[in-house]
Amino acid sequence: MSVMHIIKRGLVWGAFFMVTFFNLSEIKATHIVGGDITYRFLDRLDGQNRYQIVLTIRRDCSKDLNGIELNEDFDKNAFISIFKR
């Protein structure tokens, strides 16, 4: 690959990112900041192991200048899957 080809490709990608990210007048995002998922073994019943699974979600609780919360409500369900290898 020639040096000119690399430079041209970099310029194309640079122009793409400039048009994409700097052409936006305002960006708003409310999202999950972090969280944890933990589990605890409860017991063994009828040959089946039982666990308690706890999902803790943390989010940004910012408010606008009028004191109105900017976040949307959480989804009502979180789907968790467990797979056995």
Side-chain angles (χ1 to χ4, degrees), residues 45-79:
L45 183 65
D46 297 327
Q48 297 290 316
N49 293 333
R50 294 186 338 138
Y51 294 89
Q52 175 187 40
I53 300 173
V54 177
L55 176 64
T56 305
I57 300 293
R58 293 176 186 86
R59 69 175 177 181
D60 183 7
C61 293
S62 299
K63 296 183 179 184
D64 67 8
L65 296 175
N66 297 320
I68 298 172
E69 193 170 305
L70 297 173
N71 291 300
E72 297 292 327
D73 291 334
F74 283 121
D75 292 338
K76 292 183 181 190
N77 298 311
F79 296 98

Side-chain angles (χ1 to χ4, degrees), residues 36-48:
D36 299 305
I37 186 167
T38 58
Y39 68 94
R40 182 173 62 109
F41 175 75
L42 297 175
D43 57 22
R44 185 169 177 85
L45 183 65
D46 297 327
Q48 297 290 316

